[in-house]
Amino acid sequence: MQVKILGSAAGGAFPQWNCACANCRALRAGTFRGKPRSQTQVAITPDGHSWFLLGASPDLRGQIEATPELHPRDGVRQSPIAGVLLANADLDHVLGLLLLRELQPLRIHSTASVRRILREDNSMFGMLHRIPEQAKWTDFESGEEFSLCDAQGGDSGLRCRSWSLGTHYPAYVTAARQAQLSPGEASLGFFIQSHSGARLAYMPAVPQVDETLLAELETCDVLLFDGTFWSNDELIRVQGSGQTAKQMGHVPVEDTLIKLAGVRRPRKIFLHINNTNPMLDEASPEHRQVRDAGWEVAEDGWQFNL
Ligand SMILES: [Zn+2]
């Protein structure tokens, strides 16, 4: 399995259009020791031919153009993108689906809850269903193992299992709709196994870490893990108000470094990094602390094989 990190920032990207935090200011001024980043997007392939997207970011158009492997190959209308796997219904995770219309066949794997939010409550997603051969949705149950398939039902051989992480649906989902949905389907992580048996954990939003999750992470070869905020009160300190990282469903990185210190087998990579996070600055003590703890800070364009 080949894995490409097309985007590594949290929602809003880095820099963020309306943000003048120290990081965003320095990046715009050209004095920042670190890289700009687009919104989190990962693509995987079992064979270099068919690609599957983990989520569909609002930056997807530029991310596809920056990735020759994802360009059309045969004919006038074609794409190597065979399917999309959805972890939640957050806007930064699903808006890119609307960029994948153009009557292109596509398989979308999601929970029934996420499918209902997008298809039944948001009529714009009807643009994915203008012809019968366009988007095909497949529901999976939380905790169930399934194969990633293309629009025609072809099995990629990539085995996937979801892990329920959070119970909060996005703010745009009405209370009436939320009452009909399963809380365990709100926010998921994935374990994806390649032909060789290697395992990737994809967990961009982790509200808490318990012993069962730690044991599962120890069986993996690579972790792509929630690096949204450095500290719990990061946004409040930058903005003067707002929610804590934990209220927003993210374990702060400084806690993760302690909680996952005993997880030794996998390569550990932070992604989904908010523009306010001090570890983006490669000259910062926080960046040094992360590297000393054996973690890496994902950058757009990284790739590896599993
Ligand atoms: Zn900022």
Side-chain angles (χ1 to χ4, degrees), residues 60-260:
L60 194 52
R61 185 200 162 274
Q63 291 166 335
I64 291 171
E65 286 307 312
T67 311
E69 295 93 325
L70 299 181
H71 295 174
R73 291 181 196 141
D74 316 303
V76 181
R77 288 283 190 276
Q78 192 271 341
S79 172
I81 297 171
V84 184
L85 175 60
L86 299 180
N88 57 59
D90 288 349
L91 288 184
D92 3 318
H93 193 72
V94 302
L95 273 183
L97 284 176
L98 295 173
L99 307 175
L100 299 174
R101 56 198 195 282
E102 322 295 1
L103 309 181
Q104 191 65 41
L106 198 66
R107 172 76 52 181
I108 302 171
H109 295 273
S110 75
T111 60
S113 297
V114 167
R115 171 179 51 75
R116 291 179 70 191
I117 293 168
L118 300 183
R119 291 193 63 181
E120 296 175 19
D121 299 347
N122 291 277
S123 58
M124 270 192 287
F125 287 88
M127 290 301 280
L128 298 172
H129 304 101
R130 292 169 62 208
I131 54 171
E133 295 75 31
Q134 211 175 338
K136 304 266 201 267
W137 294 67
T138 305
D139 292 354
F140 60 82
E141 304 267 341
S142 177
E144 175 197 3
E145 189 172 297
F146 57 96
S147 282
L148 295 180
C149 294
D150 63 21
Q152 292 74 37
D155 187 337
S156 70
L158 294 178
R159 299 291 293 165
C160 183
R161 185 158 53 88
S162 68
W163 189 273
S164 182
L165 289 169
T167 56
H168 293 291
Y169 283 96
Y172 73 84
V173 183
T174 64
R177 173 57 88 189
Q178 292 204 31
Q180 301 168 344
L181 304 176
S182 161
E185 296 189 345
S187 182
L188 304 163
F190 295 114
F191 296 103
I192 301 167
Q193 187 163 320
S194 73
H195 293 145
S196 67
R199 296 183 86 213
L200 170 74
Y202 170 79
M203 311 236 151
V206 182
Q208 72 278 314
V209 178
D210 61 18
E211 290 301 320
T212 46
L213 179 58
L214 282 177
E216 205 69 36
L217 295 176
E218 183 62 35
T219 69
C220 293
D221 298 278
V222 175
L223 309 187
L224 297 177
F225 201 84
D226 187 340
T228 312
F229 298 111
W230 176 264
S231 56
N232 195 37
D233 62 351
E234 181 173 315
L235 269 193
I236 298 169
R237 277 193 286 113
V238 170
Q239 301 176 159
S241 65
Q243 290 186 303
T244 64
K246 287 174 187 167
Q247 285 169 339
M248 295 174 75
H250 300 287
V251 182
V253 167
E254 59 180 359
D255 291 0
T256 300
L257 294 180
I258 298 166
K259 287 188 170 137
L260 269 64

Side-chain angles (χ1 to χ4, degrees), residues 16 19-21 23-24 275-276:
Q16 176 176 310
C19 188
C21 73
N23 282 351
C24 289
N275 58 79
T276 51

